[in-house]
Amino acid sequence: MGARMFTALLPPDEVVGDLDGLLEPRRDSDERLRWTRPVGWHVTTSFMGDVDLWRVESLVEHLAVAASHAAPFDVGLSGGVAFPSPDRAKVLALAVGPGHDQLAALSAGCRRAGSRAGIEVDGARFVGHLTLARTSHGFNATRWLEVLGSFPRWAWRADELCLIESLQRGREYAVVERFALGAPARGALD
């Protein structure tokens, strides 16, 4: 089996710090939830569950092209979202509001880059979000969605795409490569 990899935008430290501060006093209030670690927070643009190491170089080249076609854009996090639905939630997240269309276009470019590199890419419908917590058994997340809806809106200028390897079954992440959005790709493949 190859490496588990994904592409994502990383929120700036001030967004992570503010959000972590708001969640900290609430984390122990619901034993069903396994909270994600702030150091690993990200907004996924594509997921590749099994990347052969010999394909990584090609993936990096294709992602550089995809990033070069996406200008920097403003992205915002506001309000809660639950997957698969609020009444059967297994994932609790913040929703991407402003910037969702640009993020969806970047996601499509990242998925094409993975496919062009010969990698099977998750083709699920794209919904921009930042995962905060997971649970094994679905539950009614209405109360949590109200709490997340009371949080302020966070926004930043997305100017970088990251290729990330998921380690230790998703408990740790390592940035493999960073791509500046809108920057010319060296040795473009298009």
Side-chain angles (χ1 to χ4, degrees):
M1 179 154 168
R4 293 170 54 90
M5 294 187 158
F6 60 93
T7 57
L9 302 180
L10 302 180
D13 291 342
E14 56 271 11
V15 170
V16 171
D18 288 350
L19 177 56
D20 187 33
L22 286 171
L23 288 175
E24 180 56 36
R26 295 169 171 88
R27 286 189 176 108
D28 291 335
S29 67
D30 196 329
E31 294 176 359
R32 296 173 292 196
L33 297 176
R34 293 182 320 276
W35 294 91
T36 58
R37 296 179 24 217
V39 70
W41 284 343
H42 59 272
V43 177
T44 303
T45 55
S46 68
F47 179 74
M48 297 155 275
D50 188 14
V51 178
D52 293 320
L53 295 181
W54 60 271
R55 292 189 187 272
V56 172
E57 185 177 336
S58 177
L59 176 61
V60 166
E61 291 171 0
H62 287 287
L63 286 171
V65 172
S68 74
H69 291 173
F73 60 96
D74 293 328
V75 64
L77 298 171
S78 62
V81 63
F83 300 106
S85 67
D87 60 335
R88 297 180 294 121
K90 289 190 175 187
V91 173
L92 188 62
L94 279 179
V96 171
H100 195 277
D101 291 345
Q102 295 95 326
L103 188 62
L106 180 60
S107 172
C110 291
R111 291 174 186 207
R112 278 191 303 275
S115 292
R116 288 177 178 159
I119 298 164
E120 186 174 332
V121 181
D122 180 359
R125 184 176 70 89
F126 179 76
V127 179
H129 66 280
L130 186 149
T131 299
L132 299 173
R134 293 183 175 85
T135 184
S136 299
H137 306 287
F139 75 106
N140 188 318
T142 304
R143 182 178 67 87
W144 278 108
L145 295 178
E146 290 171 0
V147 169
L148 295 175
S150 72
F151 286 5
R153 177 179 163 262
W154 290 279
W156 72 93
R157 185 82 171 159
D159 59 4
E160 179 181 73
L161 173 71
C162 295
L163 174 61
I164 301 172
E165 183 176 357
S166 178
L167 307 168
Q168 297 179 1
R169 304 190 84 199
R171 288 190 282 277
E172 200 174 308
Y173 303 116
V175 174
V176 174
E177 192 76 42
R178 295 175 185 269
F179 310 93
L181 297 182
R186 293 175 288 188
L189 299 169
D190 276 355

